[in-house]
Amino acid sequence: MKLELTEKQYRRLLDMAYIGNWILNSTRGEDRFQDYDDVESLLFGKAAEAGMDDLSEMQGKTAVPSQAFVEGGIHEAIVDYENCIFFDVLAEDLARRDMEEEQIDADDQQELLRRIDAYLEEFELHGTDHVLVISED
């Protein structure tokens, strides 16, 4: 297969490959999805050919994102995503907990969405400042 990209498209592809691999593998420790690491390495291995050798470095025989790439702002995009997802998941979990039902059916959907929206509004205004955890020790 041959894929032709502009330099800008290739640069965006590197960003997408890094972000995708980060989401898939960053929490897996030694149990990484190696095939995704391999694709990331293949893409970053072509950086020098594209005149972007500062974005890649070699670790042994493996091309990896360079420190300059990693520190160049890509993690800001990941943090933005994680912050958004954190509040979305927390709001839904709290809303479901409040409804005290394991299965939310179609009849409950509007109430669930109303509660999720209320939590999201609270988080938008105050973050987690008003979240209180009471231990039942």
Side-chain angles (χ1 to χ4, degrees):
M1 172 199 256
K2 183 175 181 178
L3 181 64
E4 294 187 32
L5 302 169
T6 66
E7 286 184 14
K8 185 175 181 177
Q9 290 171 326
Y10 174 68
R11 180 64 174 85
R12 297 298 178 256
L13 183 60
L14 291 178
D15 289 346
M16 292 182 341
Y18 181 84
I19 290 168
N21 198 26
W22 174 267
I23 289 170
L24 287 167
N25 276 325
S26 67
T27 61
R28 297 187 61 82
E30 296 298 316
D31 189 29
R32 295 176 67 86
F33 293 116
Q34 187 60 47
D35 49 341
Y36 288 92
D37 284 336
D38 294 343
V39 170
E40 181 187 74
S41 180
L42 174 69
L43 292 171
F44 276 88
K46 301 291 184 183
E49 292 175 30
M52 301 178 196
D53 52 331
D54 59 324
L55 300 181
S56 180
E57 58 191 42
M58 298 301 290
Q59 287 185 353
K61 294 182 180 183
T62 304
V64 297
S66 68
Q67 199 63 33
F69 177 87
V70 172
E71 293 174 356
I74 195 70
H75 280 276
E76 291 172 12
I78 294 169
V79 167
D80 288 345
Y81 169 79
E82 289 172 339
N83 286 339
C84 181
I85 293 303
F86 168 77
F87 286 114
D88 286 349
V89 169
L90 181 59
E92 183 171 348
D93 284 353
L94 292 172
R96 286 180 181 277
R97 179 211 57 194
D98 292 350
M99 292 180 72
E100 298 179 350
E101 296 181 31
E102 284 188 33
Q103 297 294 330
I104 305 294
D105 61 25
D107 295 334
D108 299 323
Q109 203 63 6
Q110 286 303 106
E111 179 61 16
L112 177 64
L113 293 175
R114 185 191 69 72
R115 289 172 185 246
I116 290 171
D117 287 343
Y119 277 115
L120 289 174
E121 184 177 326
E122 172 65 24
F123 297 148
E124 181 73 27
L125 293 171
H126 304 286
T128 58
D129 290 346
H130 294 168
V131 174
L132 177 64
V133 175
I134 300 171
S135 177
E136 295 185 23
D137 289 304

